[in-house]
Structures are given as structure tokens and as C-alpha cells.
Amino acid sequence: MAARTDIFDLARLALTPGEGRRIDSLTVIIDPFGFGGQEYVEADREVPIILDVSRMTGGGYSLRLRFDAEINGPCMRCLQDAAPTFGVDSREINAHGGGEEMTSPYVQGDDLNLHDWARDALALALPSQILCSTDCAGLCPQCGKDLNVEPHEHEKGPDPRWSALRDLVVEPENN
Ligand SMILES: [Zn+2]
Ligand SMILES: [Zn+2]
């Protein structure tokens, strides 16, 4: 049974320097989030994760977090429901006495903030647009219909909004 975990206590693994452990019995909550002006949720709100923890010989931890997230929300092209799945694979290092680049914002003492790490790693794994499918045709820029449902093209010609004006212009002058 997977245990929902927001903060994971690294000390409880009691790893000796150089030792590593894979933990695949945890789940983490993925909060709803805004992206490109739309609201998205993870389909199950809670995802099983694989966490690799290695205790480094110089002290500190090397960490890897992996999970798959199914994101539900509107397609950014056609506005229909989209449910793409993204794979997340993120690494962090937190070393004692290391410089700024060797400390992880998700590690405080022996506490690993899986909740924040999963959220940020997912944000980084997202593409620039969330789509129902990578070849979504989107909405017709002229009539607004869904081009996936009703593929069509409009005749190239004068904009009908100008026809009344054009008729005025071609009116013959009979003076
Ligand atoms: Zn779409
Ligand atoms: Zn159209």
C-alpha cells in the first residue's frame, strides 16, 4: 500500500555514506495549477512516485524523483478536454558544506519536501502548450469551428463584410 507523503524523512533510511535505496511505495499530491491562463488538475490528484536516495561519501544526499502525471484541462488550441500524460524525471543534490549550487531547496535538514519538488518538476516537464493531441488542428480563425471535428477551408475572396461597401463604390454615376 502506497503511503501519501508530502515530507519524507531521509534520516529514517539510515543510509551509510555511499549507500543508496530506491523507494517506490510512496505517492505525492499534485495540486491543481494554472498554466497559460487555464486551470489544470492531475487526473488522480495523487501520483505514485519512484524516489532514489543515495547518501554521498562526503555527506549529503543525491536524489532522483520520477513519476507520470496525466494532466486534465482544456486544450490550448481547440479548448476541448485534453488529458496528455507527461513523464517527470528530476534530480537534486544536497551536500553539506557545498556551495549554493550544491544545496537543494527541497531539503531542510533530513526532511525532503516531495510535495514542492513534484510540483516544480512537473512544471518544468510541461511543454509550452497543453494540447489534446500533438497534431490538434485547433479552431478555424475565420468561423471559430473546431477543425478536428469539421475540417474545412474558406474560399479565399473578399471579406463579406466589405461587400455592401463595394456595391456602393461600383454604383454607376448617372449625372
Ligand atoms: Zn485540441
Ligand atoms: Zn471556418
Side-chain angles (χ1 to χ4, degrees):
M1 185 67 193
R4 177 189 156 182
T5 306
D6 287 337
I7 307 291
F8 182 78
D9 180 12
L10 294 165
R12 85 177 192 205
L13 296 173
L15 297 174
T16 57
E19 192 183 5
R21 183 89 47 88
R22 172 166 298 172
I23 301 107
D24 57 8
S25 57
L26 305 178
T27 64
V28 68
I29 295 283
I30 304 286
D31 295 325
F33 59 95
F35 187 65
Q38 306 284 359
E39 281 287 315
Y40 294 91
V41 296
E42 206 287 325
D44 300 313
R45 310 291 176 104
E46 186 174 340
V47 295
I49 62 165
I50 298 171
L51 176 67
D52 289 298
V53 180
S54 295
R55 184 95 184 269
M56 295 189 293
T57 48
Y61 295 99
S62 168
L63 305 157
R64 184 181 187 189
L65 172 67
R66 281 173 286 176
F67 62 92
D68 290 326
E70 181 191 317
I71 302 303
N72 290 358
C75 171
M76 288 181 177
R77 272 189 208 151
C78 71
L79 307 178
Q80 298 300 308
D81 291 341
T85 297
F86 301 107
V88 175
D89 186 346
S90 178
R91 292 168 191 269
E92 286 285 321
I93 285 179
N94 194 73
H96 296 304
E100 183 75 8
E101 71 282 0
M102 294 293 275
T103 60
S104 166
Y106 311 113
V107 179
Q108 296 288 327
D110 287 313
D111 287 341
L112 171 62
N113 191 330
L114 282 173
H115 175 267
D116 288 359
W117 186 11
R119 177 199 61 204
D120 293 348
L122 174 60
L124 289 173
L126 293 177
S128 57
Q129 284 194 311
I130 292 177
L131 302 175
C132 61
S133 77
T134 51
D135 57 357
C136 171
L139 300 178
C140 173
Q142 288 194 48
C143 68
K145 284 182 180 159
D146 188 340
L147 291 169
N148 300 300
V149 179
E150 212 175 306
H152 65 275
E153 283 180 27
H154 293 268
E155 302 240 342
K156 287 207 172 61
D159 190 312
R161 286 171 297 179
W162 295 107
S163 62
L165 183 61
R166 191 178 60 245
D167 290 345
L168 279 180
V169 172
V170 297
E171 198 80 36
E173 291 183 33
N174 297 321
N175 292 350

